[in-house]
């Protein structure tokens, strides 16, 4: 399972990642992004994810707008 965490706050990204790691899935890969645009750029270059965690309030593209795009 490929998971993307998109949040502009390092503390929040670490907290979500810590929670996800409690599942200890051997096939789980977690990638962190600091902005919606950074995530969209990765997807445009071919990255694929099964699950996205998007911060609602971020500078630039927020999580809702990132999801729409």
């Amino acid at each position: 399972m490929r998971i993307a965490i998109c949040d502009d706050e390092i503390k929040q990204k670490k907290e979500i990642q810590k929670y996800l790691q409690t599942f200890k899935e051997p096939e789980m890969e977690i990638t962190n992004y600091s902005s919606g645009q950074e995530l969209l750029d990765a997807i445009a270059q071919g990255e694929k994810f099964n699950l996205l965690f998007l911060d609602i309030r971020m500078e630039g593209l927020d999580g809702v707008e990132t999801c729409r795009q």
Side-chain angles (χ1 to χ4, degrees):
M1 175 177 277
R2 300 202 63 225
I3 300 170
I5 301 171
C6 183
D7 198 315
D8 56 350
E9 294 181 36
I10 295 170
K11 182 179 177 183
Q12 294 301 323
K13 282 190 284 194
K14 287 182 180 180
E15 188 148 334
I16 294 167
Q17 188 160 346
K18 182 181 171 185
Y19 175 74
L20 290 171
Q21 289 173 338
T22 63
F23 295 104
K24 298 194 183 225
E25 292 290 327
E27 300 294 318
M28 186 168 56
E29 179 184 332
I30 301 169
T31 307
N32 290 299
Y33 296 95
S34 298
S35 71
Q37 189 60 56
E38 185 180 1
L39 172 60
L40 291 175
D41 290 346
I43 291 170
Q45 292 188 10
E47 293 289 335
K48 295 185 192 276
F49 300 99
N50 303 101
L51 183 63
L52 301 174
F53 286 87
L54 301 170
D55 184 8
I56 297 298
R57 295 182 186 160
M58 289 188 289
E59 293 292 321
L61 289 177
D62 62 24
V64 174
E65 186 59 32
T66 300
C67 185
R68 282 187 187 127
Q69 290 191 31

